[in-house]
Amino acid sequence: MNSISDTFGAGVAKNRYVLGRRNKEEQGLLNLGRYLALDGSAASYVGLDALGPHCILICGKRGYGKSYTMGTLIEELSLLPDDIRNNIASLVIDTMGIFWTMKKSNEPQKSLLKQWSLAPKEIDIKVFVPSGSVKKYDEQKIEVLPFSIPISAMDGYSWCKLFSIDEVSPLGVLLIRVIAELRSIYESFSFDSIMDMVIEDERADNVTKNAAENYIRTASSWGIFTEEGVHVKDLVSRGCTTVLDVSTLKDLNVRAAVIGQISKEIYYQRLEARRSEERMLMGHVQDNTCMPMTWMFIDEAHLFVPNRNKTLASDVLTNEWLRQGRQPGLSLILATQRPSGLDPEVTSQSDILICHRLTAAEDINALESFRPSYMKENIGDSIRKMGMEQGIAFILDDTTEAAHVIRMRPRLSWHGGNEPSALDHKHKKNE
């Protein structure tokens, strides 16, 4: 089967609409679906630019295609021609444990795919999970790789925020002092090293030391922080799609810490890579093994960049990725069923909005407050006109200053985000 990009680019070049791009470049398009005509029929194909960086917000209530659409974008990036795909990396932060299923083709929707001149296809992905969770996946015969963050990567203030400890309390002061001293001496260290230094500290009382020890043991049990950690280049590599499944981390603060640390490292490595790329354009010989342009996908985004409050991921996602990420070539795709729970900065900085069905007034109002001047009607009316059909999306594109309603194409790979049914589960005898 030809790749979607080949079919989309060649077969319907004169019958499509392109989002996120002003020029008429024919390469590097992601096939989203087809424009929905007034009579409900599917018309022109709709593509999304993949050559440049974007900030995309996908929203919609549960069951109307939010995660499905995110999976479509991930599929499309993995199917780009080699000369484009090898300059891009995709990193999926999986909060629900649903994207590992992309390794299997979407056989259940084979007939629907045929209507779109498509066929089921598995996607080549690598799945990473916290080091302490690998055994659980092995028992279910799901192929995964271990991932961890170096303990030394976070300073004492970050650890205090992670533990919800007052920084000026005796316990906070002790942790900040101990971790700062260890970071000044060693590039990497273990939880045992922290506990040894806590015990040896002469300024803290025993009650504070015991409390510190309890927190450190708790952090060790999470299975996500280790002495050496896994290098971010193992997660983000040219032409590869990587899923980081954090669904086994029950504490939201821990998830936010992981996302914040990874996002920060990718950002600063891309700044270095961009300088190298500029020098290559000037004619200098440079090492071309640096970090590629990166698309990072985060589901349940309201948990990590919430309205009013801050998490350990908030600052780096809003300041570095949303506001400044375009220059180094970083794309951020955030999905949520609660746009009212998001930091307003997300909506204001997004150049593309993909909105499935919403019914809560507060969520519609959150989007309405950022309605662009080129829209003739309000967002709430546009969403209501879509009806209740799954897979229909209202799209705002700031680049072309246009609004559209489209029918998203069916997934090639297995969608793990469907709601379960009691009829799906059939007991089988042990073989």
Side-chain angles (χ1 to χ4, degrees), residues 3 9 69 147 177 195 250 279-280 306 318 341 400 402 408 424:
S3 73
T69 292
F147 174 79
R177 181 170 65 241
M195 285 198 286
K250 298 178 182 179
R279 284 182 58 80
M280 287 179 65
T318 54
T400 60
M408 302 299 294
D424 294 338

Side-chain angles (χ1 to χ4, degrees), residues 245-256:
D245 185 345
V246 297
S247 62
T248 58
L249 299 175
K250 298 178 182 179
D251 192 308
L252 293 179
N253 287 336
V254 178
R255 292 187 185 184

Side-chain angles (χ1 to χ4, degrees), residues 339-357:
S340 60
L342 273 176
D343 185 334
E345 192 75 23
V346 174
T347 311
S348 64
Q349 294 293 336
S350 297
D351 57 292
I352 294 175
L353 168 68
I354 302 177
C355 185
H356 293 282
R357 182 171 172 77

Side-chain angles (χ1 to χ4, degrees), residues 173-186:
V173 170
L174 172 61
L175 285 174
I176 291 171
R177 181 170 65 241
V178 165
I179 292 172
E181 187 171 348
L182 285 169
R183 293 180 87 201
S184 68
I185 300 172
Y186 308 106

Side-chain angles (χ1 to χ4, degrees), residues 289-300:
T289 60
C290 52
M291 182 168 290
M293 295 173 63
T294 303
W295 288 55
M296 184 165 66
F297 298 78
I298 304 178
D299 205 353
E300 303 298 328

Side-chain angles (χ1 to χ4, degrees), residues 273-286:
R274 188 66 191 129
R275 286 193 291 270
S276 178
E277 290 164 359
E278 291 286 1
R279 284 182 58 80
M280 287 179 65
L281 293 173
M282 295 175 184
H284 298 280
V285 177
Q286 293 288 126

